[in-house]
């Protein structure tokens, strides 16, 4: 999915971060005054505000903004939601896809809102395990469904660029609530999203 570009930045935060990134470049042995780096600290300062904009977003408000009463109780799946986040241990990106399902209990939400919930929690400093459960809890608490399932499959640059440097590894995390704790329902979800999760 596409991300909405943030047009407004907190000027005080931008200024403070810019100075810190200038200092960081110097500490790394670079010259922040050379032509190619003159505007880099400000660009990074603005970029980081976009990459962490989830701190200013409310998942419950997003889901409630398109909450409708419907007497349906069949599984609703939104799969292959693009997900980008920053590992809180090294502040390097991890990225992949989220697959989310819920079984309504007389309340549904707009499908795009499910994808937006992924943004809320992924656009923060994160670990994949917590990201998975935060998405589940937000949907569970707001919609009070009969069940929720979340699976995230992601590649972590902290493993690919540094450390063990395993370029082809994929990390899969999952969280299940309610009806999805039953083997039959969970297996149907996993089959429908085409995951290798067992």
């Amino acid at each position: 999915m596409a991300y909405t570009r943030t047009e407004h930045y907190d000027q005080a935060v931008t200024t403070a971060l810019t100075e810190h990134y200038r200092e960081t470049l110097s500490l790394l042995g670079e010259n922040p005054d050379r032509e190619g780096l003159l505007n880099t600290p400000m660009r990074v300062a603005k970029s980081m505000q976009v990459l962490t904009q989830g701190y200013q977003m409310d998942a419950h408000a997003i889901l409630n903004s398109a909450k409708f009463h419907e007497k349906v109780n069949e599984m609703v799946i939104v799969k292959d939601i693009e997900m980008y986040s920053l590992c809180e241990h090294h502040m390097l990106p991890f990225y992949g896809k989220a697959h989310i399902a819920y079984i309504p209990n007389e309340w549904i939400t707009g499908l795009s809102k499910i994808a937006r919930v992924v943004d809320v929690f992924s656009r923060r400093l994160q670990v994949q395990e917590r990201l998975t459960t935060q998405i589940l809890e937000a949907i569970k608490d707001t919609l009070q469904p009969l069940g929720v399932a979340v699976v995230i499959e992601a590649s972590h640059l902290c493993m690919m660029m540094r450390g063990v440097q395993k370029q082809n590894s994929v990390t899969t995390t999952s969280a299940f609530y309610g009806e999805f704790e039953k083997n039959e329902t969970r297996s149907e979800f996993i089959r429908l999203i085409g995951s290798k999760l067992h």
Side-chain angles (χ1 to χ4, degrees):
M1 64 170 287
Y3 289 95
T4 303
R5 181 183 173 85
T6 300
E7 299 295 340
H8 303 287
Y9 303 95
D10 184 313
Q11 189 56 51
V13 172
T14 300
T15 299
L17 285 173
T18 297
E19 289 306 309
H20 283 292
Y21 284 120
R22 275 185 57 82
E23 178 67 16
T24 298
L25 288 173
S26 295
L27 289 170
L28 291 173
E30 261 293 359
N31 174 15
D33 293 317
R34 72 175 174 86
E35 183 181 14
L37 293 177
L38 275 177
N39 293 317
T40 296
M42 181 183 65
R43 291 190 193 104
V44 177
K46 290 183 174 181
S47 174
M48 286 302 295
Q49 289 178 76
V50 173
L51 297 176
T52 59
Q53 65 187 345
Y55 292 117
Q56 280 74 53
M57 300 164 70
D58 185 331
H60 302 287
I62 289 170
L63 290 167
N64 278 321
S65 70
K67 186 175 175 182
F68 309 104
H69 188 264
E70 289 287 343
K71 292 197 172 187
V72 294
N73 58 6
E74 299 299 324
M75 190 184 305
V76 177
I77 301 176
V78 183
K79 70 176 191 173
D80 296 330
I81 302 168
E82 292 180 18
M83 182 278 305
Y84 303 92
S85 192
L86 290 175
C87 161
E88 68 179 35
H89 300 138
H90 304 98
M91 289 180 68
L92 287 172
F94 66 96
Y95 61 93
K97 293 181 178 179
H99 315 288
I100 301 170
Y102 73 100
I103 300 174
N105 185 17
E106 298 194 359
W107 292 99
I108 62 170
T109 191
L111 298 178
S112 67
K113 305 308 178 186
I114 298 293
R116 290 273 288 155
V117 169
V118 175
D119 286 355
V120 170
F121 296 111
S122 64
R123 290 304 177 111
R124 304 179 182 192
L125 300 182
Q126 274 290 11
V127 295
Q128 185 175 331
E129 297 89 340
R130 183 172 65 238
L131 172 62
T132 306
T133 58
Q134 285 178 326
I135 293 168
L136 181 141
E137 291 295 329
I139 295 169
K140 175 172 74 77
D141 293 347
T142 308
L143 298 180
Q144 299 290 306
L146 299 175
V148 187
V150 180
V151 170
I152 296 178
E153 300 169 306
S155 298
H156 292 246
L157 290 189
C158 59
M159 286 183 64
M160 298 163 71
M161 293 178 66
R162 59 166 303 286
V164 294
Q165 298 184 29
K166 300 299 182 187
Q167 281 73 36
N168 297 312
S169 64
V170 174
T171 299
T172 302
T173 50
S174 62
F176 303 102
Y177 161 75
E179 289 296 312
F180 288 98
E181 294 176 282
K182 298 177 180 177
N183 286 334
E184 183 180 355
T185 311
R186 183 168 63 246
S187 296
E188 180 185 357
F189 165 68
I190 292 168
R191 178 180 60 79
L192 289 170
I193 66 173
S195 173
K196 297 182 177 68
L197 185 69
H198 295 291

